[in-house]
Amino acid sequence: MPDFHLYIGYRHTSSWSLRGWMAMRKTGAEFEETLIRYRLPDHKARLAAVSPTAKVPFLIHRRDGKEFHIWDSLAIGEYLAEFFPEARLWPKDPEVRAFARSISAEMHSGFRPLREFLNMALLESHPRPRNAEADEDIKRVGAIWRECRERWGEKEGGPYLFGHFTIADAMYAPIVTRFHTYGVKLDAVGNNYMETMLTDPDLAAWYAQAKIDPVPEPLLS
């Protein structure tokens, strides 16, 4: 049995699950995975039995005869970065790492209009909804990606925000899927970054499994 057990939600719609899952995959460690269809009461109860929040993602790490419980995507990423330093889930340079943490936290707590008007619908294709606040969020995301790539990513030589894959890329992965769903186009830097993420083997695996998973149940009224 793997030491790690990650609970996730619907791949089609659970942006937070994708963030935690991507960080876990990038460690290279084996992990057990449980899909929680949290719109079903019995699935929700299963998660509540082990998680203090009954929300996904939720990570259990069996270690030294104990179980460590970690919830919230960003906390999961931080934990994995500490436990797997060789995965380089944060940039090594303190200044760059501070910037990466800042944009990750901004994603974690912000961009509410973008999330509301461009909700995650992984395998679907829709016209881009028009909303002034969401449009400002899109511009901000594009500016973040451009600054990361121009200041650090291109210099390191890798295709991700800071060259190699970091937690920041995991935090923005669901935004890439949203932009893909709604046909959002950015500048050349942003579009190239989106292509990098959409062809990332782990994100591609998430898409592939989503096509096999049962479709999410309708939202409860």
Side-chain angles (χ1 to χ4, degrees):
M1 178 184 296
D3 293 338
F4 292 91
H5 187 165
L6 183 66
Y7 291 79
I8 63 170
Y10 306 99
R11 285 181 175 82
H12 307 74
T13 59
S14 183
S15 59
W16 296 108
S17 293
L18 174 55
R19 293 177 172 107
W21 187 89
M22 286 290 287
M24 188 74 244
R25 287 276 289 206
K26 294 304 180 182
T27 67
E30 292 186 12
F31 63 99
E32 185 179 358
E33 178 183 304
T34 295
L35 173 64
I36 296 293
R37 295 160 64 186
Y38 48 77
R39 294 175 185 172
L40 297 177
D42 60 328
H43 277 238
K44 188 77 170 179
R46 285 172 58 198
L47 184 58
V50 292
S51 167
T53 63
K55 295 180 179 180
V56 289
F58 176 68
L59 178 66
I60 296 176
H61 183 194
R62 304 176 186 94
R63 172 179 159 201
D64 301 328
K66 302 178 182 178
E67 280 194 356
F68 292 77
H69 292 186
I70 310 97
W71 57 96
D72 188 281
S73 299
L74 196 49
I76 289 171
E78 289 280 10
Y79 181 82
L80 295 173
E82 291 180 356
F83 199 77
F84 295 99
E86 69 281 3
R88 300 193 302 159
L89 289 176
W90 286 125
K92 182 178 180 180
D93 182 272
E95 178 187 0
V96 186
R97 187 166 65 250
F99 192 93
R101 280 193 162 114
S102 294
I103 63 168
S104 296
E106 183 178 354
M107 181 72 259
H108 190 271
S109 62
F111 301 104
R112 185 173 297 276
L114 190 160
R115 297 179 192 185
E116 179 181 353
F117 288 93
L118 284 74
N119 60 298
M120 187 168 170
L122 192 77
L123 301 180
E124 300 176 23
S125 179
H126 300 288
R128 174 178 168 180
R130 290 295 175 176
N131 173 270
E133 291 181 326
D135 288 347
E136 287 301 312
D137 281 352
I138 291 170
K139 289 179 183 178
R140 173 60 184 155
V141 169
I144 288 171
W145 292 355
R146 184 169 56 254
E147 182 172 7
C148 290
R149 291 293 303 149
E150 291 178 348
R151 290 181 66 182
W152 298 294
E154 292 175 358
K155 293 177 182 178
E156 186 176 291
Y160 297 99
L161 292 177
F162 298 94
H164 64 279
F165 190 97
T166 67
I167 291 168
D169 296 291
M171 292 301 291
Y172 283 88
I175 301 301
V176 171
T177 75
R178 284 171 156 97
F179 286 1
H180 181 64
T181 292
Y182 295 97
V184 174
K185 301 298 182 184
L186 303 173
D187 59 16
V189 173
N191 290 337
N192 287 340
Y193 175 66
M194 283 186 59
E195 183 63 22
T196 290
M197 289 296 291
L198 289 169
T199 55
D200 176 273
D202 293 315
L203 186 55
W206 180 275
Y207 268 93
Q209 186 60 44
K211 296 176 181 178
I212 301 171
D213 286 349
V215 297
E217 290 75 24
L219 285 167
L220 297 174
S221 57

